[in-house]
Every structure is written in C-alpha cells, then in structure tokens.
Coordinates of all heavy atoms in Angstrom, one line a residue:
M1 N 39.4 -124.3 3.0 CA 38.0 -124.2 3.4 C 37.9 -123.8 4.8 O 38.7 -124.2 5.6 CB 37.3 -125.5 3.1 CG 35.9 -125.6 3.5 SD 35.0 -127.1 3.0 CE 33.9 -126.3 1.8
K2 N 36.9 -123.0 5.1 CA 36.8 -122.4 6.5 C 36.3 -123.5 7.4 O 35.6 -124.4 7.1 CB 35.7 -121.3 6.4 CG 35.5 -120.6 7.7 CD 34.5 -119.5 7.5 CE 34.2 -119.0 8.9 NZ 34.2 -117.6 9.1
D3 N 36.8 -123.4 8.7 CA 36.4 -124.4 9.7 C 35.1 -123.9 10.3 O 35.1 -123.1 11.2 CB 37.5 -124.4 10.8 CG 37.1 -125.4 12.0 OD1 36.2 -126.2 11.7 OD2 37.8 -125.3 13.0
Y4 N 34.0 -124.4 9.8 CA 32.6 -124.1 10.3 C 32.3 -124.6 11.6 O 31.5 -124.0 12.3 CB 31.6 -124.6 9.2 CG 31.7 -123.7 7.9 CD1 32.2 -124.3 6.8 CD2 31.2 -122.4 7.9 CE1 32.2 -123.6 5.6 CE2 31.3 -121.7 6.7 CZ 31.8 -122.3 5.6 OH 31.9 -121.6 4.4
K5 N 33.0 -125.7 12.0 CA 32.7 -126.2 13.3 C 33.0 -125.2 14.4 O 32.2 -125.0 15.4 CB 33.4 -127.5 13.5 CG 33.0 -128.3 14.8 CD 33.7 -129.6 14.8 CE 33.3 -130.4 16.1 NZ 33.8 -131.7 16.1
K6 N 34.1 -124.6 14.3 CA 34.4 -123.6 15.3 C 33.4 -122.4 15.4 O 33.0 -122.0 16.4 CB 35.8 -123.0 15.0 CG 36.5 -122.2 16.1 CD 37.9 -121.9 15.7 CE 38.6 -121.2 16.9 NZ 40.0 -120.9 16.6
T7 N 33.0 -122.0 14.2 CA 32.0 -120.9 14.1 C 30.7 -121.3 14.7 O 30.0 -120.6 15.5 CB 31.8 -120.5 12.7 OG1 33.1 -120.0 12.1 CG2 30.8 -119.4 12.5
L8 N 30.3 -122.6 14.4 CA 29.0 -123.1 14.9 C 29.0 -123.2 16.5 O 28.1 -122.8 17.1 CB 28.7 -124.4 14.3 CG 28.3 -124.5 12.8 CD1 28.3 -125.9 12.3 CD2 27.0 -123.8 12.6
Q9 N 30.2 -123.7 16.9 CA 30.3 -123.8 18.4 C 30.3 -122.5 19.1 O 29.8 -122.3 20.1 CB 31.5 -124.7 18.8 CG 31.3 -126.1 18.4 CD 32.5 -127.0 18.8 OE1 33.6 -126.5 19.2 NE2 32.3 -128.3 18.8
G10 N 30.9 -121.5 18.4 CA 30.9 -120.1 19.0 C 29.5 -119.5 19.0 O 29.1 -118.9 20.0
Q11 N 28.7 -119.8 18.0 CA 27.3 -119.3 17.9 C 26.5 -120.0 19.0 O 25.7 -119.4 19.7 CB 26.7 -119.7 16.5 CG 27.2 -118.7 15.4 CD 26.7 -117.3 15.7 OE1 27.6 -116.4 15.9 NE2 25.4 -117.1 15.8
A12 N 26.8 -121.3 19.2 CA 26.1 -122.1 20.2 C 26.3 -121.5 21.6 O 25.4 -121.3 22.4 CB 26.4 -123.6 20.1
Q13 N 27.6 -121.2 21.9 CA 28.0 -120.7 23.2 C 27.3 -119.3 23.4 O 26.9 -119.0 24.5 CB 29.5 -120.5 23.3 CG 30.2 -121.8 23.5 CD 29.8 -122.6 24.7 OE1 29.5 -122.0 25.7 NE2 29.8 -124.0 24.6
A14 N 27.3 -118.5 22.3 CA 26.6 -117.2 22.4 C 25.1 -117.3 22.7 O 24.6 -116.6 23.6 CB 26.8 -116.3 21.2
E15 N 24.5 -118.2 22.1 CA 23.0 -118.4 22.3 C 22.8 -119.0 23.7 O 21.9 -118.6 24.4 CB 22.5 -119.4 21.2 CG 22.4 -118.9 19.9 CD 21.5 -117.6 19.7 OE1 20.6 -117.4 20.6 OE2 21.6 -117.0 18.7
L16 N 23.7 -119.9 24.1 CA 23.6 -120.5 25.5 C 23.8 -119.3 26.6 O 23.1 -119.3 27.6 CB 24.7 -121.5 25.6 CG 24.5 -122.5 26.8 CD1 23.2 -123.2 26.7 CD2 25.6 -123.5 26.7
S17 N 24.7 -118.4 26.3 CA 24.9 -117.3 27.2 C 23.7 -116.4 27.2 O 23.2 -116.0 28.3 CB 26.1 -116.5 26.8 OG 26.3 -115.3 27.6
G18 N 23.1 -116.2 26.1 CA 21.8 -115.4 26.1 C 20.7 -116.1 26.8 O 20.0 -115.5 27.6
A19 N 20.6 -117.5 26.7 CA 19.6 -118.2 27.4 C 19.8 -118.1 28.9 O 18.8 -117.7 29.7 CB 19.7 -119.7 27.0
G20 N 21.0 -118.1 29.4 CA 21.3 -118.0 30.8 C 20.9 -116.6 31.3 O 20.4 -116.4 32.4
M21 N 21.3 -115.6 30.5 CA 21.0 -114.2 30.9 C 19.5 -114.0 31.1 O 18.9 -113.5 32.0 CB 21.5 -113.2 29.9 CG 21.1 -111.8 30.2 SD 21.5 -110.6 28.9 CE 20.4 -111.1 27.6
Y22 N 18.7 -114.5 30.0 CA 17.2 -114.3 30.0 C 16.6 -115.2 31.2 O 15.6 -114.7 31.8 CB 16.6 -114.7 28.7 CG 16.8 -113.5 27.7 CD1 17.5 -113.8 26.5 CD2 16.4 -112.3 27.9 CE1 17.7 -112.7 25.6 CE2 16.6 -111.2 27.1 CZ 17.2 -111.4 25.9 OH 17.5 -110.5 25.0
F23 N 17.1 -116.4 31.4 CA 16.5 -117.1 32.5 C 16.8 -116.4 33.9 O 15.9 -116.4 34.8 CB 17.1 -118.5 32.6 CG 16.5 -119.5 31.7 CD1 17.2 -120.3 30.8 CD2 15.1 -119.7 31.7 CE1 16.6 -121.3 30.0 CE2 14.5 -120.6 31.0 CZ 15.2 -121.4 30.0
T24 N 18.0 -115.8 34.0 CA 18.3 -115.0 35.2 C 17.4 -113.8 35.3 O 16.8 -113.6 36.4 CB 19.8 -114.6 35.2 OG1 20.6 -115.8 35.1 CG2 20.1 -113.7 36.4
L25 N 17.2 -113.1 34.2 CA 16.2 -111.9 34.3 C 14.9 -112.4 34.7 O 14.1 -111.7 35.4 CB 16.3 -111.2 32.9 CG 17.6 -110.5 32.7 CD1 17.6 -109.9 31.2 CD2 17.8 -109.4 33.7
A26 N 14.4 -113.5 34.1 CA 13.1 -114.1 34.4 C 13.0 -114.3 35.9 O 11.9 -114.1 36.6 CB 12.8 -115.3 33.6
R27 N 14.0 -114.9 36.5 CA 14.0 -115.2 37.9 C 13.9 -113.9 38.8 O 13.1 -113.9 39.7 CB 15.2 -116.0 38.3 CG 15.4 -116.4 39.8 CD 16.7 -117.1 40.0 NE 16.7 -118.3 39.3 CZ 16.6 -119.5 39.9 NH1 16.5 -119.6 41.2 NH2 16.6 -120.6 39.2
I28 N 14.7 -112.9 38.3 CA 14.7 -111.6 39.1 C 13.3 -111.0 38.9 O 12.7 -110.5 39.9 CB 15.8 -110.8 38.6 CG1 17.2 -111.3 38.9 CG2 15.6 -109.4 39.1 CD1 18.3 -110.7 38.2
A29 N 12.8 -111.0 37.7 CA 11.4 -110.3 37.5 C 10.4 -111.1 38.3 O 9.5 -110.4 39.0 CB 11.1 -110.4 36.0
K30 N 10.4 -112.4 38.4 CA 9.5 -113.1 39.2 C 9.6 -112.8 40.7 O 8.5 -112.7 41.4 CB 9.7 -114.6 39.0 CG 8.6 -115.5 39.6 CD 8.7 -116.9 39.2 CE 7.6 -117.7 39.7 NZ 7.5 -119.1 39.2
A31 N 10.8 -112.7 41.1 CA 11.1 -112.3 42.6 C 10.4 -110.9 42.9 O 10.1 -110.7 44.0 CB 12.6 -112.3 42.9
H32 N 10.3 -110.0 41.9 CA 9.7 -108.8 42.1 C 8.2 -108.7 41.8 O 7.7 -107.7 41.7 CB 10.5 -107.7 41.2 CG 11.8 -107.4 41.7 ND1 12.1 -106.5 42.8 CD2 13.1 -107.8 41.3 CE1 13.4 -106.5 43.0 NE2 14.0 -107.2 42.1
G33 N 7.7 -109.9 41.6 CA 6.2 -110.0 41.3 C 5.8 -109.6 39.9 O 4.6 -109.4 39.7
L34 N 6.8 -109.6 39.1 CA 6.5 -109.3 37.6 C 6.3 -110.5 36.8 O 7.1 -110.9 35.9 CB 7.6 -108.4 37.1 CG 7.9 -107.1 37.8 CD1 9.2 -106.5 37.3 CD2 6.7 -106.2 37.8
E35 N 5.2 -111.2 37.1 CA 4.9 -112.5 36.4 C 4.9 -112.4 34.9 O 5.5 -113.3 34.2 CB 3.6 -113.1 36.9 CG 3.6 -113.6 38.3 CD 4.6 -114.7 38.6 OE1 4.7 -115.6 37.7 OE2 5.2 -114.8 39.7
D36 N 4.2 -111.4 34.3 CA 4.2 -111.3 32.8 C 5.6 -111.1 32.3 O 5.9 -111.7 31.2 CB 3.3 -110.1 32.4 CG 1.8 -110.5 32.7 OD1 1.5 -111.6 33.0 OD2 1.0 -109.5 32.6
V37 N 6.4 -110.3 32.9 CA 7.7 -110.0 32.4 C 8.5 -111.2 32.5 O 9.3 -111.6 31.6 CB 8.3 -108.8 33.2 CG1 9.8 -108.6 32.8 CG2 7.6 -107.5 33.0
S38 N 8.4 -111.9 33.7 CA 9.1 -113.2 33.8 C 8.8 -114.1 32.8 O 9.8 -114.8 32.3 CB 8.7 -113.8 35.3 OG 9.4 -115.0 35.5
M39 N 7.5 -114.3 32.4 CA 7.1 -115.2 31.4 C 7.7 -114.9 30.0 O 8.1 -115.7 29.3 CB 5.6 -115.4 31.3 CG 5.0 -116.1 32.5 SD 3.2 -116.2 32.6 CE 2.6 -115.8 31.0
Q40 N 7.9 -113.6 29.7 CA 8.4 -113.1 28.5 C 9.9 -113.4 28.4 O 10.4 -113.9 27.4 CB 8.1 -111.6 28.3 CG 6.7 -111.3 28.0 CD 6.4 -109.8 28.0 OE1 7.3 -109.0 28.2 NE2 5.2 -109.5 27.6
F41 N 10.6 -113.2 29.5 CA 12.0 -113.5 29.6 C 12.2 -115.0 29.5 O 13.2 -115.5 28.8 CB 12.6 -113.0 30.9 CG 13.0 -111.5 30.8 CD1 12.7 -110.7 31.9 CD2 13.6 -111.0 29.7 CE1 13.0 -109.4 31.9 CE2 13.9 -109.6 29.7 CZ 13.7 -108.8 30.8
T42 N 11.4 -115.8 30.1 CA 11.5 -117.2 30.1 C 11.3 -117.7 28.6 O 12.1 -118.6 28.1 CB 10.5 -117.9 30.9 OG1 10.7 -117.6 32.3 CG2 10.5 -119.5 30.8
E43 N 10.4 -117.1 27.8 CA 10.2 -117.5 26.5 C 11.4 -117.1 25.6 O 11.8 -118.0 24.8 CB 8.9 -116.8 25.9 CG 8.7 -117.0 24.4 CD 8.6 -118.5 24.0 OE1 8.1 -119.3 24.8 OE2 9.0 -118.8 22.9
L44 N 11.9 -115.9 25.9 CA 13.2 -115.6 25.1 C 14.3 -116.6 25.5 O 15.1 -117.0 24.6 CB 13.7 -114.1 25.5 CG 12.9 -113.0 24.9 CD1 13.2 -111.7 25.6 CD2 13.1 -113.0 23.4
A45 N 14.4 -116.9 26.8 CA 15.5 -117.9 27.1 C 15.3 -119.2 26.4 O 16.2 -119.8 26.0 CB 15.4 -118.1 28.7
N46 N 14.1 -119.7 26.4 CA 13.8 -121.0 25.7 C 14.2 -120.9 24.2 O 14.7 -121.8 23.6 CB 12.3 -121.4 25.8 CG 12.0 -121.8 27.2 OD1 12.9 -122.5 27.9 ND2 10.8 -121.6 27.7
Q47 N 13.9 -119.7 23.6 CA 14.2 -119.5 22.1 C 15.7 -119.6 22.0 O 16.3 -120.2 21.1 CB 13.7 -118.2 21.6 CG 12.2 -118.2 21.5 CD 11.7 -116.8 21.1 OE1 12.4 -115.9 20.7 NE2 10.3 -116.6 21.3
H48 N 16.5 -118.9 22.9 CA 18.0 -119.0 22.8 C 18.5 -120.3 23.0 O 19.5 -120.8 22.4 CB 18.6 -117.9 23.7 CG 18.6 -116.5 23.2 ND1 19.6 -116.0 22.4 CD2 17.6 -115.6 23.3 CE1 19.2 -114.8 22.1 NE2 18.0 -114.4 22.6
A49 N 17.9 -121.1 24.0 CA 18.3 -122.5 24.2 C 18.1 -123.4 23.0 O 19.0 -124.2 22.7 CB 17.6 -123.0 25.5
D50 N 16.9 -123.2 22.4 CA 16.6 -124.0 21.2 C 17.7 -123.7 20.1 O 18.1 -124.5 19.4 CB 15.2 -123.6 20.8 CG 14.8 -124.6 19.6 OD1 14.9 -125.8 19.8 OD2 14.4 -124.0 18.6
Q51 N 18.0 -122.4 20.0 CA 19.0 -122.0 18.9 C 20.3 -122.6 19.2 O 21.0 -123.0 18.3 CB 19.0 -120.5 18.7 CG 17.7 -119.9 18.2 CD 17.5 -118.4 18.4 OE1 18.4 -117.8 19.0 NE2 16.4 -117.9 17.9
A52 N 20.7 -122.5 20.5 CA 22.0 -123.1 20.9 C 22.0 -124.6 20.5 O 23.0 -125.1 20.0 CB 22.2 -122.9 22.4
S53 N 20.9 -125.3 20.8 CA 20.8 -126.8 20.5 C 21.0 -127.0 19.0 O 21.6 -127.9 18.6 CB 19.6 -127.4 21.1 OG 18.5 -127.0 20.3
F54 N 20.5 -126.1 18.2 CA 20.6 -126.2 16.7 C 22.1 -126.2 16.4 O 22.6 -127.0 15.6 CB 19.8 -125.2 16.0 CG 20.2 -125.0 14.5 CD1 19.8 -125.9 13.6 CD2 21.1 -124.0 14.1 CE1 20.1 -125.8 12.3 CE2 21.5 -123.9 12.8 CZ 21.0 -124.8 11.9
Y55 N 22.7 -125.1 16.9 CA 24.2 -125.0 16.6 C 25.0 -126.1 17.1 O 26.0 -126.5 16.4 CB 24.7 -123.6 17.1 CG 24.2 -122.4 16.3 CD1 23.4 -121.4 16.9 CD2 24.4 -122.3 14.9 CE1 22.9 -120.4 16.2 CE2 23.9 -121.2 14.2 CZ 23.2 -120.3 14.9 OH 22.7 -119.2 14.2
F56 N 24.8 -126.6 18.3 CA 25.5 -127.7 18.9 C 25.3 -129.0 18.0 O 26.2 -129.8 17.8 CB 25.1 -128.0 20.3 CG 25.7 -127.1 21.3 CD1 25.0 -126.5 22.3 CD2 27.1 -126.8 21.3 CE1 25.6 -125.7 23.3 CE2 27.7 -126.0 22.3 CZ 26.9 -125.4 23.2
T57 N 24.1 -129.2 17.6 CA 23.8 -130.3 16.7 C 24.5 -130.2 15.4 O 25.1 -131.2 14.9 CB 22.3 -130.5 16.5 OG1 21.6 -130.6 17.7 CG2 21.9 -131.7 15.6
A58 N 24.4 -129.0 14.7 CA 25.1 -128.8 13.5 C 26.6 -129.0 13.6 O 27.2 -129.4 12.6 CB 24.8 -127.5 12.9
S59 N 27.2 -128.7 14.7 CA 28.6 -128.8 14.9 C 29.0 -130.2 15.4 O 30.3 -130.4 15.6 CB 29.1 -127.8 15.8 OG 28.8 -128.1 17.2
N60 N 28.1 -131.1 15.5 CA 28.4 -132.4 16.0 C 29.1 -132.4 17.4 O 29.9 -133.3 17.6 CB 29.2 -133.2 15.0 CG 28.4 -133.6 13.8 OD1 27.3 -134.0 13.8 ND2 29.0 -133.5 12.6
R61 N 28.7 -131.5 18.2 CA 29.3 -131.4 19.5 C 29.0 -132.6 20.4 O 29.8 -133.0 21.2 CB 28.7 -130.1 20.2 CG 29.0 -130.0 21.7 CD 30.3 -129.2 21.9 NE 30.6 -129.1 23.3 CZ 30.4 -127.9 24.0 NH1 30.0 -126.8 23.4 NH2 30.7 -127.9 25.3
Y62 N 27.8 -133.2 20.2 CA 27.4 -134.3 21.0 C 27.1 -135.5 20.1 O 26.7 -135.3 19.0 CB 26.1 -133.9 21.8 CG 26.3 -132.8 22.7 CD1 25.8 -131.6 22.4 CD2 27.1 -133.0 23.9 CE1 26.1 -130.5 23.2 CE2 27.3 -131.9 24.7 CZ 26.8 -130.6 24.4 OH 27.1 -129.6 25.2
P63 N 27.3 -136.7 20.6 CA 27.1 -137.9 19.8 C 25.6 -138.0 19.2 O 24.7 -137.7 20.0 CB 27.4 -139.1 20.8 CG 27.3 -138.5 22.1 CD 27.6 -137.0 22.0
Q64 N 25.5 -138.5 18.0 CA 24.3 -138.6 17.4 C 23.9 -140.1 17.0 O 22.7 -140.3 16.8 CB 24.2 -137.7 16.2 CG 24.4 -136.2 16.5 CD 24.2 -135.3 15.4 OE1 23.6 -135.6 14.4 NE2 24.9 -134.1 15.6
E65 N 24.8 -140.9 17.1 CA 24.5 -142.3 17.0 C 24.0 -143.0 18.2 O 24.5 -142.6 19.3 CB 25.8 -143.1 16.4 CG 26.3 -142.6 15.1 CD 25.3 -142.8 14.0 OE1 24.6 -143.8 14.0 OE2 25.3 -141.9 13.1
T66 N 23.2 -144.0 18.2 CA 22.5 -144.5 19.3 C 23.4 -144.9 20.5 O 23.3 -144.5 21.6 CB 21.5 -145.6 19.0 OG1 20.6 -145.0 18.0 CG2 20.7 -146.1 20.2
H67 N 24.3 -145.8 20.1 CA 25.3 -146.4 21.1 C 26.1 -145.3 21.8 O 26.2 -145.2 23.0 CB 26.2 -147.4 20.5 CG 27.1 -148.0 21.5 ND1 26.8 -148.8 22.5 CD2 28.5 -147.9 21.6 CE1 27.8 -149.2 23.2 NE2 28.9 -148.5 22.7
A68 N 26.7 -144.5 21.0 CA 27.5 -143.4 21.5 C 26.7 -142.4 22.3 O 27.1 -141.9 23.3 CB 28.2 -142.6 20.3
L69 N 25.5 -142.2 21.9 CA 24.6 -141.3 22.7 C 24.3 -141.9 24.1 O 24.4 -141.2 25.1 CB 23.2 -141.0 22.0 CG 22.2 -140.2 22.7 CD1 22.8 -138.8 22.9 CD2 20.9 -140.2 21.9
W70 N 24.0 -143.2 24.2 CA 23.7 -143.8 25.5 C 25.0 -143.8 26.3 O 24.9 -143.6 27.6 CB 23.2 -145.2 25.3 CG 21.8 -145.2 25.0 CD1 21.2 -145.6 23.9 CD2 20.7 -144.6 25.8 NE1 19.8 -145.4 23.9 CE2 19.5 -144.8 25.1 CE3 20.6 -144.1 27.1 CZ2 18.3 -144.4 25.6 CZ3 19.4 -143.7 27.6 CH2 18.3 -143.9 26.9
Q71 N 26.2 -144.0 25.8 CA 27.4 -143.9 26.5 C 27.6 -142.5 27.1 O 28.0 -142.3 28.3 CB 28.6 -144.2 25.7 CG 28.7 -145.7 25.3 CD 28.8 -146.6 26.4 OE1 27.8 -147.3 26.8 NE2 29.8 -146.6 27.2
F72 N 27.3 -141.5 26.3 CA 27.4 -140.1 26.7 C 26.4 -139.9 27.9 O 26.7 -139.2 28.9 CB 27.1 -139.2 25.5 CG 27.2 -137.7 25.9 CD1 28.5 -137.1 25.9 CD2 26.2 -136.9 26.1 CE1 28.7 -135.8 26.2 CE2 26.3 -135.6 26.4 CZ 27.5 -135.0 26.4
I73 N 25.1 -140.3 27.7 CA 24.2 -140.2 28.7 C 24.6 -140.8 30.1 O 24.4 -140.2 31.2 CB 22.8 -140.7 28.3 CG1 22.3 -139.8 27.2 CG2 21.8 -140.8 29.4 CD1 21.1 -140.4 26.4
K74 N 25.2 -142.0 30.0 CA 25.7 -142.6 31.2 C 26.7 -141.7 32.0 O 26.7 -141.5 33.2 CB 26.3 -144.0 30.9 CG 25.3 -145.0 30.6 CD 26.0 -146.3 30.3 CE 25.1 -147.4 29.8 NZ 25.7 -148.7 29.4
G75 N 27.6 -141.1 31.1 CA 28.6 -140.2 31.7 C 27.9 -138.9 32.3 O 28.3 -138.4 33.4
L76 N 26.9 -138.5 31.7 CA 26.1 -137.3 32.2 C 25.5 -137.7 33.6 O 25.5 -136.9 34.5 CB 25.0 -136.9 31.3 CG 25.3 -136.1 30.1 CD1 24.0 -135.8 29.2 CD2 25.9 -134.7 30.5
S77 N 25.1 -138.9 33.7 CA 24.4 -139.3 35.0 C 25.4 -139.2 36.1 O 25.1 -138.7 37.2 CB 23.9 -140.7 34.8 OG 23.4 -141.2 36.1
K78 N 26.7 -139.7 35.8 CA 27.7 -139.6 36.8 C 28.1 -138.1 37.2 O 28.3 -137.8 38.3 CB 28.9 -140.4 36.4 CG 28.7 -141.8 36.4 CD 29.9 -142.6 35.8 CE 29.6 -144.0 35.6 NZ 30.7 -144.7 34.9
A79 N 28.1 -137.3 36.1 CA 28.4 -135.9 36.3 C 27.3 -135.2 37.1 O 27.7 -134.3 38.0 CB 28.6 -135.2 35.0
E80 N 26.1 -135.6 36.9 CA 25.0 -134.9 37.6 C 25.0 -135.3 39.1 O 24.8 -134.5 40.0 CB 23.6 -135.3 37.0 CG 23.3 -134.6 35.7 CD 23.1 -133.1 35.9 OE1 22.7 -132.7 37.0 OE2 23.3 -132.4 34.9
E81 N 25.4 -136.5 39.4 CA 25.6 -137.0 40.8 C 26.7 -136.2 41.5 O 26.5 -135.7 42.5 CB 25.9 -138.5 40.8 CG 24.7 -139.4 40.5 CD 25.1 -140.8 40.5 OE1 26.1 -141.2 41.2 OE2 24.4 -141.6 39.8
Y82 N 27.7 -136.0 40.8 CA 28.9 -135.3 41.4 C 28.5 -133.8 41.6 O 28.7 -133.2 42.5 CB 30.1 -135.3 40.4 CG 31.2 -134.4 40.9 CD1 32.0 -134.7 41.9 CD2 31.4 -133.2 40.3 CE1 33.0 -133.9 42.4 CE2 32.4 -132.3 40.7 CZ 33.2 -132.7 41.8 OH 34.1 -131.8 42.2
G83 N 27.7 -133.3 40.6 CA 27.3 -131.9 40.6 C 26.4 -131.7 41.8 O 26.4 -130.6 42.5
E84 N 25.5 -132.6 42.0 CA 24.5 -132.5 43.2 C 25.3 -132.4 44.5 O 25.0 -131.6 45.4 CB 23.5 -133.7 43.1 CG 22.5 -133.5 44.2 CD 21.5 -134.6 44.2 OE1 21.4 -135.4 43.2 OE2 20.7 -134.8 45.2
K85 N 26.3 -133.3 44.6 CA 27.1 -133.3 45.9 C 27.8 -132.0 46.0 O 28.0 -131.5 47.1 CB 28.1 -134.5 45.8 CG 27.4 -135.8 46.0 CD 28.4 -137.0 45.9 CE 27.6 -138.3 45.9 NZ 28.5 -139.4 45.6
A86 N 28.4 -131.5 44.9 CA 29.2 -130.3 44.9 C 28.3 -129.1 45.3 O 28.7 -128.3 46.1 CB 29.8 -130.0 43.6
I87 N 27.0 -129.0 44.8 CA 26.2 -127.9 45.1 C 25.7 -127.9 46.5 O 25.5 -126.9 47.2 CB 25.0 -127.8 44.1 CG1 24.4 -126.4 44.2 CG2 23.9 -128.8 44.3 CD1 25.2 -125.3 43.6
L88 N 25.5 -129.2 47.0 CA 25.1 -129.3 48.5 C 26.2 -128.9 49.4 O 26.0 -128.2 50.4 CB 24.7 -130.8 48.7 CG 23.4 -131.2 48.2 CD1 23.2 -132.7 48.4 CD2 22.2 -130.4 48.8
D89 N 27.4 -129.2 49.0 CA 28.6 -128.7 49.8 C 28.8 -127.2 49.7 O 29.0 -126.5 50.8 CB 29.9 -129.4 49.3 CG 31.1 -129.1 50.1 OD1 31.0 -129.2 51.4 OD2 32.1 -128.7 49.6
L90 N 28.6 -126.6 48.6 CA 28.6 -125.2 48.4 C 27.5 -124.5 49.3 O 27.7 -123.5 49.9 CB 28.5 -124.8 46.9 CG 28.4 -123.3 46.6 CD1 29.6 -122.5 47.1 CD2 28.2 -123.0 45.1
S91 N 26.3 -125.1 49.2 CA 25.2 -124.6 50.0 C 25.5 -124.6 51.5 O 25.3 -123.6 52.1 CB 23.9 -125.4 49.7 OG 22.9 -124.9 50.5
R92 N 26.1 -125.7 51.9 CA 26.5 -125.7 53.3 C 27.4 -124.7 53.7 O 27.4 -124.0 54.7 CB 27.0 -127.1 53.6 CG 27.4 -127.4 55.1 CD 28.1 -128.7 55.3 NE 29.2 -128.9 54.4 CZ 30.4 -128.4 54.5 NH1 30.7 -127.5 55.4 NH2 31.4 -128.7 53.7
Q93 N 28.5 -124.5 52.8 CA 29.5 -123.5 53.1 C 28.9 -122.1 53.1 O 29.3 -121.2 53.9 CB 30.6 -123.6 52.0 CG 31.4 -124.8 52.1 CD 32.4 -124.9 50.9 OE1 32.8 -123.9 50.4 NE2 32.8 -126.2 50.6
L94 N 28.0 -121.8 52.2 CA 27.3 -120.4 52.2 C 26.5 -120.2 53.4 O 26.6 -119.2 54.0 CB 26.5 -120.3 50.9 CG 27.2 -120.2 49.6 CD1 26.3 -120.3 48.4 CD2 28.0 -118.9 49.5
E95 N 25.8 -121.2 53.9 CA 25.0 -121.1 55.1 C 25.9 -120.9 56.3 O 25.6 -120.0 57.1 CB 24.2 -122.4 55.3 CG 23.0 -122.4 54.4 CD 22.1 -123.7 54.6 OE1 22.5 -124.6 55.4 OE2 21.1 -123.8 54.0
E96 N 27.0 -121.6 56.4 CA 28.0 -121.4 57.4 C 28.6 -120.0 57.5 O 29.0 -119.5 58.5 CB 29.1 -122.5 57.4 CG 28.6 -123.8 57.7 CD 29.7 -124.9 57.5 OE1 30.8 -124.6 57.0 OE2 29.4 -126.1 57.8
A97 N 28.7 -119.5 56.3 CA 29.2 -118.0 56.1 C 28.2 -117.0 56.4 O 28.5 -115.8 56.3 CB 29.8 -117.9 54.8
G98 N 27.0 -117.4 56.7 CA 25.9 -116.5 57.1 C 25.0 -116.1 55.9 O 24.1 -115.2 56.0
H99 N 25.1 -116.8 54.7 CA 24.2 -116.4 53.6 C 23.1 -117.4 53.5 O 23.1 -118.5 53.9 CB 25.0 -116.6 52.3 CG 26.2 -115.7 52.2 ND1 26.2 -114.4 52.0 CD2 27.5 -116.0 52.4 CE1 27.4 -113.8 52.0 NE2 28.2 -114.8 52.3
K100 N 21.9 -116.8 53.2 CA 20.7 -117.7 53.0 C 20.7 -118.3 51.6 O 21.0 -117.7 50.7 CB 19.5 -116.9 53.3 CG 19.4 -116.5 54.8 CD 18.1 -115.7 55.0 CE 18.0 -115.3 56.5 NZ 16.8 -114.7 56.9

C-alpha cells in the first residue's frame, strides 16, 4: 500500500510555499501602493495556507488529542520566544551592517 502520509506532507509543503509566495507578493504590491492587488494576493495566500492546514491535518503532522496538543503548544511558546530573540539579533546585525 502506498505511503500517503509522505504525499500529504509534500502537498502541505507545496501549499505552504505558495502561501509564502503570495504573502510576499501582497507585501510588495502594497509597498507600491497597489492595495487592490495586495488584497487579491493576500486572499490567494490565505487559500493556500488553508489548503496546507488541510494536508497537515490529514497527515497527522500535528497532535490532535487535547493533552498532546497542549504539550505541543507549550513547546511552540518556547520556540517563539527563541525566535523573537533571534530576529532581534539579526535585526541588530543588519542595522550595524548599514541596512534599514
């Protein structure tokens, strides 16, 4: 029998990549004053993100039982704290290198 989990996770990653691309295009369009275009790209990004969440759910990528879910969320909280510190450090380094 075929390993569907691998296929589902591949689909999820593809949709997630699409979401990132469309969110980026929305940001660029907005920076150029193209509000309508930005909103359209944002809607496409949201659709791709929603599709990615479907595939991640179908592949059991993330815990679905209550206790396991809360344990996972606690871990996310720690990861977000670390990520915030890392991005602040990167921001400082970029500013020191002369980038805004």
